[in-house]
Amino acid sequence: MPTTKLFLLLFAFCCYTSLIGQSLENYPKQHYDKAEYQIEMRDGVKLHTTVYTPKDQSKAYPMLMKRTPYSCRPYGEGNFPSRLGPNKYLMQDGYIFVYQDVRGRWNSEGDYDNMRPIIADKKGDQDIDESSDTYDTIDWLVKNIKNNNGRVGQYGISYPGHYTTAGAVDAHPALKAASPQAPIGDFYFDDFHHNGAYLLSYWVATAVFGYQSDPTTQAWYTDKIPNLGTQDQYQFFLDIGPLKNLDKYYGKDNFFWQELKEHPDYDEFWQKRGIIQHLDDVRPAMMVVGGWFDAEDLYGPLMTYKTIEKQNPNTYNTIVMGPWSHGDWARDRERQAVGNVYFGDHLSDQFQQNVERPFFNHFLKEEGIGSGLPEAYMYDTGRRQWTDFANWPPKAATMETYYFHDGEQLSTSAPKGDNETSFVSDPAKPVPYSEDIKVVFTPRKYMADDQRFAARRPDVLVFETEVLEEDVTLAGEIMADLFVSTTGTDADWVVKLVDVYPPDASDPEEMQDHLRMSNYHMMVRSEVMRGRYRNDFSKPEAFKPGKATKVEFPLQDVYHTFKRGHKIQVQIQSTWFPLIDRNPQTFVDNIFMAEEEDFQKQTHTIHHSEQYPSSLKVQVLK
């Protein structure tokens, strides 16, 4: 094709896509009417609710609702957002879109409560939770919004994902479909804690969750977010010392900071805030969505799906897990990458058009013979391709054990003899979680980051296979099964599963200038276990110095092919800073109240002997 003609075609295409973008930006105002309501709940509290109704009133429409603590702006009946609903395709298909400020947030009345506990028993007139608020809202909507077809769907990402899950508990009969996306399952295992370790990286977010008492249409937390005086978050938290010194930034008026400090263990306060244990009577069709590299909510979607599947065998329940960070599936990106690692083109758009759209259209509009979706639609982050599964984890996957050996070896052969490897963990010089640590609201890139910087530290143990002669596909659950000892009385244990690329690997355009994909150490999965909770998250206990002790914990599921020519590597360390707070390594009742002198350098040991065979247990798909 002549160059001039090709240029003209490309120019015309760019103009066309630009016009589409412009037209979609004004689409809500051109095609929808807006109304705002204060819907009264059963206890008299009124919740601010915004409803967008198609101007075309020639047919009845289903409703799609999002309940959020993050505002249903823009406020005012003359103000419209640039997009409605979970994606542009559903917006164009025609729905009644509903947005609601949850109780005690923004323009809604009432008191806000983080992960408000579900009331399991029958609710009275004054017994409220997020399930009852969802029920009361839907009941009002189907009775008062004209031209609705009596079918309601709910969706949301992150905290709105949690509210979506809560809405499916004791659900209103009109709620036919729900899609919890990156839903919080339990604040002790999502977001603010991981297996008892406090996620220091989310400390800045405490400003959002710990204030506001009166209805408002303006953000109340912008002047509450601390000014650290530096972009070096690692140095800031190191200089601040023990966690109790952070009180100078969040005082007694920040109720969430106080709750975090007062409840370090998985006590009744946290236990009753979990949603997972209430998923035994879920009736709406469910589509759980998550990202394999979601630094915020990976526990939530996997546990939500698995629990619904186990407790509700007759409920339509499907899961989608893609190569995304937190909420990336809702964004329009030509190239999908996490940090330096590229996965494919238009993956989010494909999900929106071919998965999310058919799900809601089928259950809310009764379009199509069936939803056409697999039980599990999962992305292999090593092969870079989608796979349909009839079950998750796949029934065909078999459990295999990778054992740690002397000489930094990792193999499926059990160790012999009496072997161990030790390292010194110094709280004054903690292992960083990334080479690129700056002040961020929530970290993301590190979930697929290069781990060479860590592998070359003396306080990080490395075990790896020989170069693989054939592909190895992990599909399902991972369990770290460690036998450890320490000279101290407490310790954290961080386990990372790493894909070591071959020397001839080529660079994607996303690669940082100072790195190369040659020998890249891609983190595939990682998790921390605060050692004091090794037997019971509600009952911390000290280690006995020098005694070999079993520490076992899951790393969350994975679907990743380690390709021929690559190596499988496991890294073990005891600090991961400032992703998590520093363990003093001296047992204290409450680490939030630890003193400077409690933080002591200790020697930790991983045993890999015939008597104490430390290992990583994985599900392998042949």
Side-chain angles (χ1 to χ4, degrees):
M1 179 181 293
T3 304
T4 303
K5 190 173 182 180
L6 177 62
F7 172 79
L8 290 173
L9 284 173
L10 289 172
F11 179 76
F13 176 76
C14 291
C15 291
Y16 173 71
T17 54
S18 178
L19 287 172
I20 286 181
Q22 292 175 14
S23 63
L24 287 182
E25 185 176 347
N26 297 318
Y27 194 94
K29 192 167 187 176
Q30 293 171 349
H31 295 84
Y32 286 85
D33 293 322
K34 178 182 180 181
E36 296 180 327
Y37 304 95
Q38 293 295 117
I39 300 179
E40 187 171 336
M41 301 294 102
R42 62 189 63 184
D43 63 344
V45 168
K46 296 178 180 178
L47 304 187
H48 182 90
T49 309
T50 303
V51 180
Y52 298 89
T53 306
K55 291 181 182 293
D56 178 5
Q57 293 290 295
S58 63
K59 56 184 177 181
Y61 298 91
M63 301 186 197
L64 261 178
M65 177 174 67
K66 181 168 81 171
R67 304 185 66 244
T68 178
Y70 301 131
S71 172
C72 56
R73 293 176 293 187
Y75 296 101
E77 294 192 357
N79 299 317
F80 284 75
S82 59
R83 195 178 82 176
L84 293 172
N87 66 60
K88 61 186 177 183
Y89 302 105
L90 289 165
M91 176 180 71
Q92 292 171 296
D93 287 341
Y95 279 82
I96 297 170
F97 292 104
V98 179
Y99 297 85
Q100 184 177 75
D101 291 332
V102 298
R103 181 179 292 255
R105 274 297 180 248
W106 297 89
N107 215 15
S108 286
E109 299 175 350
D111 296 323
Y112 178 72
D113 192 358
N114 281 301
M115 299 287 288
R116 186 186 303 276
I118 291 288
I119 301 174
D121 299 328
K122 187 176 181 179
K123 302 174 181 68
D125 291 342
Q126 299 299 312
D127 291 333
I128 60 93
D129 55 19
E130 302 304 340
S131 170
S132 72
D133 281 355
T134 306
Y135 189 106
D136 293 350
T137 299
I138 293 176
D139 197 61
W140 187 93
L141 289 168
V142 296
K143 292 175 180 177
N144 292 276
I145 300 300
K146 295 179 181 179
N147 241 36
N148 79 81
N149 72 354
R151 291 174 172 264
V152 180
Q154 190 174 356
Y155 70 97
I157 296 173
S158 195
Y159 222 140
H162 164 75
Y163 292 120
T164 302
T165 306
V169 176
D170 299 327
H172 192 284
L175 184 63
K176 302 299 183 182
S179 182
Q181 303 183 1
I184 302 167
D186 190 311
F187 256 164
Y188 204 76
F189 302 99
D190 278 322
D191 290 273
F192 287 93
H193 293 90
H194 273 211
N195 290 328
Y198 172 56
L199 263 71
L200 191 57
S201 55
Y202 290 82
W203 174 76
V204 174
T206 311
V208 178
F209 299 104
Y211 298 103
Q212 195 204 343
S213 58
D214 300 316
T216 178
T217 59
Q218 301 295 321
W220 62 88
Y221 52 80
T222 50
D223 63 341
K224 303 288 187 180
I225 296 176
N227 180 6
L228 307 188
T230 177
Q231 285 298 309
D232 187 345
Q233 199 169 26
Y234 181 102
Q235 195 62 44
F236 169 80
F237 284 117
L238 196 62
D239 291 343
I240 206 70
L243 289 176
K244 67 175 189 173
N245 294 340
L246 291 169
D247 285 353
K248 63 185 291 186
Y249 296 95
Y250 294 135
K252 295 187 181 300
D253 59 332
N254 188 304
F255 62 85
F256 189 48
W257 176 240
Q258 301 306 317
E259 290 169 346
L260 287 167
K261 293 194 306 177
E262 293 165 6
H263 301 279
D265 309 327
Y266 192 55
D267 58 14
E268 183 183 4
F269 174 83
W270 294 114
Q271 292 170 16
K272 67 182 184 180
R273 280 168 167 73
I275 191 72
I276 302 298
Q277 60 266 40
H278 296 288
L279 302 180
D280 56 355
D281 186 22
V282 175
R283 294 183 295 275
M286 304 294 290
M287 182 177 71
V288 184
V289 182
W292 286 127
F293 302 102
D294 190 338
E296 299 181 52
D297 298 295
L298 185 59
Y299 169 93
L302 291 167
M303 288 300 296
T304 298
Y305 165 77
K306 289 180 182 180
T307 305
I308 293 174
E309 193 70 12
K310 180 180 179 180
Q311 301 291 345
N312 307 269
N314 296 321
T315 295
Y316 181 94
N317 182 41
T318 186
I319 184 170
V320 180
M321 295 291 293
W324 298 305
S325 292
H326 192 63
D328 278 351
W329 51 91
R331 300 178 176 91
D332 296 323
R333 289 180 176 171
E334 180 179 350
R335 291 175 60 87
Q336 176 57 43
V338 177
N340 299 300
V341 185
Y342 164 75
F343 293 103
D345 292 341
H346 303 293
L347 298 182
S348 298
D349 186 78
Q350 292 167 18
F351 160 74
Q352 294 169 23
Q353 186 172 12
N354 301 324
V355 181
E356 189 173 43
R357 181 189 197 185
F359 172 76
F360 282 119
N361 280 347
H362 172 68
F363 288 104
L364 301 182
K365 293 189 172 186
E366 298 183 302
E367 292 183 359
I369 299 174
S371 69
L373 300 179
E375 172 71 17
Y377 190 50
M378 316 297 267
Y379 191 90
D380 184 330
T381 54
R383 280 204 177 102
R384 314 288 205 265
Q385 66 184 33
W386 290 100
T387 309
D388 297 354
F389 290 102
N391 310 93
W392 187 264
K395 285 188 177 180
T398 58
M399 188 64 71
E400 289 193 6
T401 302
Y402 280 84
Y403 295 96
F404 308 149
H405 293 267
D406 273 354
E408 300 187 333
Q409 296 299 304
L410 181 70
S411 80
T412 54
S413 300
K416 302 291 185 181
D418 186 15
N419 302 302
E420 61 187 39
T421 305
S422 300
F423 65 97
V424 175
S425 176
D426 186 353
K429 296 181 179 180
V431 180
Y433 70 87
S434 172
E435 283 187 297
D436 308 309
I437 298 179
K438 53 185 178 294
V439 177
V440 292
F441 201 76
T442 55
R444 294 190 176 204
K445 169 180 166 290
Y446 84 95
M447 289 288 283
D449 248 349
D450 184 24
Q451 298 300 306
R452 276 175 287 194
F453 76 96
R456 294 161 181 169
R457 286 182 57 119
D459 49 359
V460 177
L461 301 187
V462 175
F463 302 93
E464 69 178 23
T465 65
E466 299 294 331
V467 174
L468 298 177
E469 296 182 357
E470 59 183 21
D471 291 356
V472 176
T473 299
L474 305 190
E477 298 174 348
I478 307 176
M479 183 68 70
D481 190 5
L482 308 182
F483 292 92
V484 306
S485 59
T486 175
T487 56
T489 50
D490 200 1
D492 291 341
W493 305 96
V494 178
V495 176
K496 299 184 291 189
L497 175 65
V498 176
D499 185 344
V500 179
Y501 278 61
D504 61 351
S506 57
D507 296 337
E509 65 182 58
E510 289 81 6
M511 181 60 64
Q512 291 173 277
D513 290 341
H514 69 285
L515 293 174
R516 290 292 178 267
M517 195 56 78
S518 173
N519 198 40
Y520 191 88
H521 285 32
M522 173 189 169
M523 191 164 76
V524 174
R525 184 62 70 243
S526 57
E527 191 55 280
V528 57
M529 180 70 189
R530 182 137 284 174
R532 59 173 50 211
Y533 299 117
R534 62 194 178 276
N535 294 320
D536 191 330
F537 287 107
S538 63
K539 297 178 182 178
E541 56 184 296
F543 284 92
K544 292 184 179 179
K547 181 180 179 181
T549 306
K550 187 179 180 68
V551 176
E552 187 179 38
F553 59 98
L555 270 67
Q556 308 306 332
D557 294 17
V558 67
Y559 182 33
H560 184 87
T561 295
F562 292 81
K563 301 181 76 173
R564 180 175 176 269
H566 291 225
K567 291 187 286 187
I568 302 173
Q569 183 186 94
V570 175
Q571 295 185 10
I572 300 176
Q573 59 202 61
S574 197
T575 51
W576 210 15
F577 192 74
L579 183 69
I580 62 170
D581 65 313
R582 296 176 303 149
N583 192 317
Q585 306 189 141
T586 302
F587 186 86
V588 295
D589 289 337
N590 184 345
I591 291 179
F592 283 92
M593 303 301 173
E595 302 289 347
E596 187 70 53
E597 57 267 24
D598 295 324
F599 292 81
Q600 296 293 324
K601 183 189 303 185
Q602 302 292 351
T603 299
H604 303 323
T605 299
I606 298 294
H607 300 266
H608 40 87
S609 63
E610 189 170 358
Q611 183 180 6
Y612 301 118
S614 293
S615 66
L616 195 70
K617 292 180 169 61
V618 298
Q619 288 186 277
V620 178
L621 195 61
K622 299 294 186 181

